[in-house]
Amino acid sequence: MAKDRQVENSARSRSSARVADFGKSARRQIALGLQGGGAHGAFTWGALDRLLEEPTLEIVGISGTSAGAMNAAIMADGLRSGGPDQARIALRNYWEEVGRIPGLARLIGSQSLGGTRQWHFDDAPLFLWFDLLTRILSPYQTNPLNFHPLRKLLEQIDFQGLRDDTAGARVFICATNVRTGRRHVFGNAELSADVLLASACLPNTFQAVEIDGEAYWDGGYTGNPALNPLYLRTSATDVIIIGINPLFRDTVPQSARDIINRVNEISFNSTFMLELATIAFIDDLLEAGMVDASRYKPLLIHKIEAHATLSTFGASSKMNNDPTFLHYLHEIGRKAADAWLKDNLDSIGKRSTIDLSALIPLREDFATGPATSRQSARAELKGFASSGT
């Protein structure tokens, strides 16, 4: 841990100089924020696949939660052992192995509605039975042996290599401490298969993961992903967030399932939104000359997402590991990243490509506080949610 902190502090101390010298280097330093979302993490796989092809970018930090944590560690291990090409291979191998795991997709099979394939399980009797079971019985009853289908896949990662690497990308994995309710961000020096499983531990499905005497649940409750360490502990000038959890919905949910799903989306985005507000606040103070620029650096924010497509799949599709679906998500992610790069690559190091102004505290139109009107607040938040698409 001490070694990890020393590397991170060194990176932070060099950050101001690197911001000033930006443009002189052939490669632009970025950090990535990878959201969780089960099988929808294959969208992130596709986006990363495209970003890793871009020779002008250097990934110096990766923060991930749940499926984003898996993508983060696998990519970092590939970058460490063989560079971007090896990282792409490692990500593909992982997601193809995920597609081979027996699960609901294999038991339920593909469904069709009016001749159109659908990827969710909302109307499948087996899924409804499983969903009800998780609300009645705990994983300590339904899975007493604490089996996790991803453990063997994750144990193929060279965690010792990641822990010992002082020159590679800094990795930050978020998990929620069950006892305190606070988040814990694990750095390179702490990485293990248990850390990744803790970050993806949905409490109704899996037993809490114990690490050093503390129990952890999914990191999405307290940081999806955690952005603070990318600001404090890396030299990145820009953060690209790969989003797979909708911030905005056009309709108010009516069914019990849709209400539960929307509550989960809001709770899994709440801390993320607050951290964005903090970044926006610091940037606003820097621009106004109200804080010491030698102590605080600007952080430019970008976002790659495909909200219009991902939001149509349904929440139960996050449990669908059908290989065809995973490759479809990969294709969507690649296309979204490619479109973003074509429109915004030249903005890296110069300006944010999403507007965070509506999130700045102490303003009358602060989106999560007082607003001039309900309609204007709704419009501003919707505009932010759709920025960068």
Side-chain angles (χ1 to χ4, degrees):
M1 182 66 180
K3 182 199 297 183
D4 211 35
R5 181 69 67 175
Q6 183 179 7
V7 171
E8 292 160 358
N9 287 340
S10 177
R12 185 185 179 192
S13 68
R14 297 192 302 269
S15 63
S16 296
R18 290 189 173 182
V19 170
D21 292 339
F22 188 85
K24 299 178 182 179
S25 173
R27 302 182 72 195
R28 291 171 275 190
Q29 294 192 333
I30 64 168
L32 301 174
L34 311 182
Q35 287 194 327
H40 290 191
F43 169 87
T44 301
W45 162 36
L48 295 175
D49 196 42
R50 177 61 186 89
L51 290 175
L52 287 164
E53 291 178 341
E54 181 51 54
T56 65
L57 301 180
E58 179 185 4
I59 299 169
V60 297
I62 317 163
S63 180
T65 295
S66 195
M70 316 297 181
N71 281 320
I74 292 162
M75 180 172 62
D77 188 33
L79 287 171
R80 179 195 60 80
S81 61
D85 289 342
Q86 182 57 41
R88 294 180 63 216
I89 292 171
L91 285 166
R92 176 171 292 277
N93 289 342
Y94 170 77
W95 282 101
E96 289 184 346
E97 287 296 323
V98 168
R100 297 186 183 102
I101 295 174
L104 288 174
R106 188 171 299 181
L107 294 172
I108 295 173
S110 300
Q111 303 182 82
S112 61
L113 183 63
T116 303
R117 191 167 191 175
Q118 61 184 30
W119 300 109
H120 65 77
F121 302 135
D122 289 356
D123 304 315
L126 182 59
F127 171 75
L128 295 174
W129 173 83
F130 174 78
D131 185 54
L132 179 62
L133 188 67
T134 62
R135 300 177 192 279
I136 298 174
L137 300 176
S138 81
Y140 296 89
Q141 298 169 296
T142 59
N143 186 11
L145 298 180
N146 201 21
F147 170 75
H148 200 299
L150 294 180
R151 181 175 289 278
K152 285 189 177 180
L153 286 182
L154 297 176
E155 288 175 346
Q156 297 176 24
I157 298 172
D158 183 4
F159 290 107
Q160 190 61 52
L162 288 173
R163 290 192 289 266
D164 293 340
D165 185 15
T166 60
R170 298 296 91 194
V171 180
F172 308 100
I173 305 300
C174 183
T176 303
N177 187 305
V178 179
R179 185 179 58 83
T180 66
R182 300 179 63 184
R183 81 176 177 196
H184 184 104
V185 178
F186 296 89
N188 291 58
E190 304 168 283
L191 294 180
S192 67
D194 280 340
V195 167
L196 300 184
L197 293 176
S199 183
C201 181
L202 291 172
N204 289 335
T205 307
F206 299 107
Q207 296 183 27
V209 179
E210 186 171 313
I211 302 173
D212 295 333
E214 292 286 354
Y216 293 94
W217 282 340
D218 196 295
Y221 297 111
T222 50
N224 191 25
L227 300 179
N228 175 275
L230 298 177
Y231 178 84
L232 294 175
R233 305 185 193 176
T234 78
S235 56
T237 59
D238 298 66
V239 172
I240 300 176
I241 298 159
I242 302 181
I244 54 181
N245 282 292
L247 292 172
F248 184 85
R249 290 282 186 179
D250 289 319
T251 60
V252 176
Q254 302 291 319
S255 71
R257 181 189 296 118
D258 288 343
I259 290 171
I260 292 171
N261 291 339
R262 185 56 182 155
V263 167
N264 286 334
E265 286 176 349
I266 292 172
S267 62
F268 271 48
N269 277 320
S270 59
T271 306
F272 168 67
M273 294 291 286
L274 288 173
E275 287 193 89
L276 284 178
T278 300
I279 292 171
F281 186 41
I282 292 173
D283 286 349
D284 191 50
L285 293 176
L286 282 168
E287 187 175 345
M290 298 176 65
V291 296
D292 184 355
S294 66
R295 294 187 57 193
Y296 300 95
K297 65 175 182 177
L299 191 63
L300 307 179
I301 305 295
H302 316 275
K303 192 175 186 184
I304 297 172
E305 60 182 351
H307 167 71
T309 302
L310 293 180
S311 62
T312 65
F313 292 142
S316 63
S317 68
K318 294 180 179 180
M319 302 180 66
N320 186 355
N321 69 324
D322 183 321
T324 305
F325 182 47
L326 298 181
H327 280 275
Y328 179 43
L329 289 166
H330 169 270
E331 180 184 358
I332 296 169
R334 268 195 68 92
K335 288 180 178 178
D338 187 64
W340 188 89
L341 286 169
K342 288 178 179 177
D343 292 339
N344 301 292
L345 181 59
D346 289 341
S347 297
I348 293 179
K350 300 176 183 177
R351 56 187 173 273
S352 294
T353 54
I354 59 175
D355 183 8
L356 300 181
S357 60
L359 301 179
I360 298 175
L362 307 183
R363 287 190 177 180
E364 288 298 316
D365 56 353
F366 178 38
T368 56
T372 53
S373 71
R374 182 180 302 176
Q375 183 177 2
S376 65
R378 183 174 181 272
E380 287 168 354
L381 190 54
K382 182 176 181 180
F384 165 72
S386 60
S387 295
T389 56

